[in-house]
Amino acid sequence: MTDHNRPFSDDERAGLYRAIYERRDVRSQFRPDPIPADVLARLLSAAHHAPSVGFMQPWDFIVIDSTEVRQTVLDIFEEENRKAADNYSGERNTQYKSLKLQGILDSPINLCITCDRSRGGTHVLGRNSIVETDLFSTCLAVQNLWLAARAEGIGVGWVSILNQQKLAKTLGLPEQVYPLAYLCLGYVSEFLDQPELQARGWRTRLPIEKLVHGNGWGQPQANPELKAALKKQERN
């Protein structure tokens, strides 16, 4: 039996931070190898152990291995992706069209993590002021799964360029269930050294020291030790 009060060892702590820093949004590196059932079960269990406001646990998991269903989802993506490309012009438009933004058929399994917005009843503890906490809680389940997947050597790609109404209809979701995250899962040929959009020059990571405020928005962080530690962390 694990002692839950035991501090993490140096190796355990390093493993956690490695998963965080080496997690990637995978689109292009999927291998066809199937994910063993026990490994997938571990990932789903990790997601299910995410924190949730009022312990409402609003998530469900739809495991999709049907080529027919995935082709339908890919069709939805391609329609929405054409619309998204119109947001850019010139060189940016060309760059956008060159990006591979999904691995729906390349990955052996797709997973839709949903949010049941009625779960827990009318009055959920902690949800009185911020109704969207069910969505926030489900995002934590996504992150749990993503980090566990990285530790298992499995890549995850979030396909966000989808019409949610069409996706819900394709998956037969009840009216109160929202398809929060459509994910592609599979073993990969490699995990890139840096996020693909950063490597391709789409965006760069913002410096952390410019994002940490002190006691209010736009106020300088007055703790010199924290400022120095943040700069050191960025160099690492």
Side-chain angles (χ1 to χ4, degrees):
M1 180 66 69
T2 303
D3 180 1
H4 293 288
N5 294 316
R6 175 180 59 83
F8 279 27
S9 68
D10 290 345
D11 287 344
E12 289 170 334
R13 188 167 58 249
L16 172 61
Y17 281 107
R18 181 184 171 194
I20 291 171
Y21 289 121
E22 294 184 10
R23 181 212 59 79
R24 294 290 178 263
D25 194 351
V26 176
R27 289 99 173 230
S28 307
Q29 295 83 31
F30 285 112
R31 291 167 20 205
D33 315 50
I35 300 174
D38 60 333
V39 177
L40 182 57
R42 285 199 293 269
L43 301 186
L44 294 172
S45 180
H48 184 46
H49 279 76
S52 61
V53 172
F55 204 43
M56 71 178 97
Q57 306 160 78
W59 44 72
D60 284 88
F61 309 99
I62 303 177
V63 179
I64 305 161
D65 56 12
S66 164
T67 302
E68 181 180 359
V69 173
R70 287 187 287 160
Q71 182 61 59
T72 301
V73 175
L74 179 59
D75 292 342
I76 297 172
F77 165 83
E78 289 178 342
E79 180 181 356
E80 292 302 307
N81 197 44
R82 286 191 291 271
K83 296 177 185 177
D86 291 339
N87 292 323
Y88 309 100
S89 59
E91 184 178 337
R92 199 65 162 170
N93 178 271
T94 301
Q95 185 183 21
Y96 179 89
K97 290 178 178 179
S98 73
L99 298 172
K100 189 175 190 324
L101 300 177
Q102 55 77 30
I104 295 170
L105 295 182
D106 304 302
S107 57
I109 284 181
N110 292 181
L111 176 70
C112 186
I113 300 183
T114 64
C115 177
D116 185 341
R117 309 215 64 187
S118 67
R119 188 158 297 164
T122 305
H123 302 290
V124 175
L125 187 153
R127 195 185 176 195
N128 186 69
S129 302
I130 307 175
V131 178
E132 296 83 2
T133 50
D134 57 341
L135 299 173
F136 305 158
S137 297
T138 306
C139 286
L140 297 177
V142 176
Q143 180 75 335
N144 265 22
L145 180 134
W146 215 325
L147 295 178
R150 181 62 189 89
E152 297 278 2
I154 291 172
V156 178
W158 187 330
V159 184
S160 60
I161 307 171
L162 292 170
N163 180 294
Q164 298 298 80
Q165 289 73 34
K166 291 181 180 179
L167 179 60
K169 182 178 180 180
T170 298
L171 300 179
L173 302 185
E175 183 178 356
Q176 79 279 7
V177 175
Y178 179 73
L180 184 135
Y182 193 90
L183 307 173
C184 304
L185 276 68
Y187 291 103
V188 297
S189 58
E190 65 172 333
F191 287 97
L192 300 179
D193 291 339
Q194 56 183 328
E196 190 167 358
L197 291 183
Q198 182 175 346
R200 297 286 300 274
W202 186 263
R203 292 273 292 176
T204 59
R205 190 177 299 281
L206 300 173
I208 181 67
E209 63 267 22
K210 295 187 180 298
L211 305 177
V212 179
H213 308 255
N215 297 313
W217 183 266
Q219 300 300 312
Q221 173 53 245
N223 184 333
E225 293 181 353
L226 177 58
K227 291 172 67 174
L230 287 172
K231 289 184 178 180
K232 179 180 179 181
Q233 189 66 39
E234 284 294 282
R235 290 196 296 270
N236 294 337

